């Protein structure tokens, strides 16, 4: 069992965050770095995060650490206890289903609208992202980059209908699903399935077929949910 899963804190692999840019900047950067490491399972469930150790490692005061921890707690990714001990939460299946429901409702409507409006800049951008993913699809070692392109694809859809703030809100509230996707993406055939889902969405938007675009998005977002029981069996200690 590694140190993280045995409850010991681990922050040694992250870049330090200096004091430049002000407290708000330090807090935001600390939050973003810790969130990425939690979602990417570098800091898996049950990892203990010591606030004093975080402050020392990132070379910041206690104040931005508290602010970053509070934001992570609001996201449901950590839970704080007395005496400054904070623990990465286990993946909550009920939260996953809520997050999935929200994304399906919002993103099916987004692609329907995009199909009706067909903004050329958005269509060009998502086609380009799909081409980049296609170049990586057979290389599991590139899963992290593939995942970044996946996230960029969905963000571009929100941008296409002028809902960037909504995208930020949904990302912040989808940390449990994001961790499951991290578990799922390296599985055989998953990257190919994601690529094919994106291509179907692009084709439907390009054809101006809103119903087909919504159906393609619904199918695309269902894949990880369908594999959830197998992922729980594989990593039972990650789930509550």
């Amino acid at each position: 069992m590694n140190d993280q899963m045995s409850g010991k804190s681990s922050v040694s692999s992250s870049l330090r965050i200096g004091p430049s840019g002000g407290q708000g900047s330090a807090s935001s950067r600390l939050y973003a770095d810790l969130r990425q490491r939690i979602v990417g399972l570098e800091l898996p469930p049950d990892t203990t995060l010591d606030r004093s150790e975080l402050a020392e490692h990132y070379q910041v005061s206690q104040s931005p650490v508290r602010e970053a921890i509070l934001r992570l707690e609001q996201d449901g990714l950590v839970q704080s206890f007395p005496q400054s001990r904070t623990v990465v939460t286990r993946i909550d299946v009920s939260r996953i289903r809520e997050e999935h429901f929200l994304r399906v409702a919002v993103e099916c409507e987004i692609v329907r609208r995009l199909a009706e409006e067909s903004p050329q800049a958005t269509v060009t951008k998502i086609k380009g992202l799909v081409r980049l993913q296609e170049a990586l699809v057979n290389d599991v070692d590139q899963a992290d980059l593939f995942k970044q392109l996946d996230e960029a694809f969905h963000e571009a859809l929100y941008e296409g209908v002028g809902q960037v703030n909504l995208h930020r809100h949904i990302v912040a509230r989808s940390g449990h699903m994001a961790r499951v996707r991290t578990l799922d993406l390296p599985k055989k055939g998953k990257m190919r399935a994601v690529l094919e889902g994106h291509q179907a969405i692009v084709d439907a938007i390009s054809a101006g077929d809103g119903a087909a675009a919504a159906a393609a998005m619904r199918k695309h977002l269902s894949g990880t949910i369908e594999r959830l029981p197998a992922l729980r069996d594989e990593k039972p200690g990650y789930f509550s």
Side-chain angles (χ1 to χ4, degrees):
M1 179 178 293
N2 62 32
D3 285 349
Q4 292 167 332
M5 289 305 292
S6 65
K8 297 180 181 178
S9 62
S10 177
V11 297
S12 60
S13 64
S14 180
L15 296 175
R16 287 183 170 84
I17 295 176
S20 62
Q23 178 174 305
S25 176
S27 173
S28 295
R29 292 167 63 191
L30 176 56
Y31 161 79
D33 186 65
L34 287 174
R35 189 183 192 284
Q36 179 58 41
R37 296 174 68 197
I38 291 170
V39 166
L41 299 177
E42 180 185 343
L43 297 175
D46 293 340
T47 300
T48 297
L49 303 177
D50 182 87
R51 296 188 187 188
S52 296
E53 182 182 336
L54 288 170
E56 180 180 359
H57 176 76
Y58 286 103
Q59 296 184 342
V60 296
S61 68
Q62 288 281 341
S63 185
V65 172
R66 285 195 300 270
E67 293 172 8
I69 292 296
L70 178 59
R71 290 180 64 184
L72 291 168
E73 199 161 18
Q74 291 171 344
D75 292 351
L77 294 175
V78 303
Q79 183 175 4
S80 294
F81 297 92
Q83 301 174 341
S84 299
R85 185 172 72 92
T86 299
V87 177
V88 177
T89 59
R90 293 193 175 194
I91 301 171
D92 187 329
V93 174
S94 64
R95 282 285 297 263
I96 291 170
R97 299 194 184 283
E98 290 175 2
E99 292 167 6
H100 175 255
F101 186 91
L102 177 61
R103 281 197 66 184
V104 169
V106 171
E107 296 191 19
C108 285
E109 175 61 17
I110 284 174
V111 295
R112 184 190 65 77
R113 283 185 55 186
L114 287 173
E116 293 174 354
E117 299 168 5
S118 296
Q120 189 56 48
T122 299
V123 172
T124 299
K125 185 172 184 177
I126 59 179
K127 283 182 175 179
L129 290 167
V130 168
R131 285 195 296 270
L132 291 172
Q133 285 191 300
E134 189 172 13
L136 304 175
V137 73
N138 294 318
D139 188 355
V140 71
D141 291 335
Q142 298 294 332
D144 285 344
L145 180 54
F146 187 93
K147 182 181 178 183
Q148 292 174 36
L149 293 169
D150 179 21
E151 293 165 354
F153 177 89
H154 287 269
E155 183 176 7
L157 300 177
Y158 285 81
E159 290 175 349
V161 294
Q163 294 293 336
V164 175
N165 287 335
L166 178 58
H167 175 260
R168 295 190 186 116
H169 173 78
I170 289 178
V171 167
R173 296 296 178 266
S174 299
H176 290 260
M177 175 60 80
R179 288 190 284 178
V180 173
R181 289 175 58 239
T182 297
L183 288 174
D184 194 26
L185 189 58
K187 304 301 181 187
K188 184 178 180 181
K190 175 60 178 179
M191 291 167 69
R192 173 65 62 181
V194 170
L195 175 65
E196 291 175 352
H198 286 179
Q199 187 62 65
I201 292 165
V202 169
D203 290 345
I205 291 173
S206 298
D209 190 335
M217 177 61 78
R218 187 180 300 277
K219 180 179 179 181
H220 172 59
L221 293 177
S222 70
T224 297
I225 283 289
E226 291 174 353
R227 284 183 291 277
L228 185 55
L231 294 170
R232 291 184 70 186
D233 288 344
E234 180 182 330
K235 294 283 189 180
Y238 280 25
F239 292 84
S240 61

